[in-house]
Amino acid sequence: MGNTAPDAHCSRKSCKAPAEWALVWNNPKLHTPDRRKVWVACDEHRDYLANFLDLRGFLRETVPMAEFEG
């Protein structure tokens, strides 16, 4: 999951909506502290994907795609 191209679509399964948000995360059990992975989300699925990551302690930040420098 995760595509940060300008024409990226939401990382939620089967969603083809344009990505509006970058959800920056890492799994501390697998990744070094400086490693960052990105899922992208449309407005509708932002909270769903952010909650999924946050419940696991993975979410680091949520950034509008227009401001994301990945």
Side-chain angles (χ1 to χ4, degrees), residues 23-31 35-37 39 49-61:
L23 286 73
V24 182
W25 65 278
N26 83 345
N27 179 341
K29 292 182 181 178
L30 300 176
H31 306 123
R35 172 81 188 270
R36 293 293 183 258
K37 297 184 69 75
W39 284 357
L49 292 170
N51 287 336
F52 179 91
L53 293 168
D54 196 38
L55 285 171
R56 290 155 179 81
F58 297 171
L59 187 63
R60 300 297 170 245
E61 64 180 326

Side-chain angles (χ1 to χ4, degrees), residues 31-46:
H31 306 123
T32 60
D34 60 328
R35 172 81 188 270
R36 293 293 183 258
K37 297 184 69 75
V38 178
W39 284 357
V40 295
C42 65
D43 285 332
E44 180 181 352
H45 294 119
R46 173 189 172 188

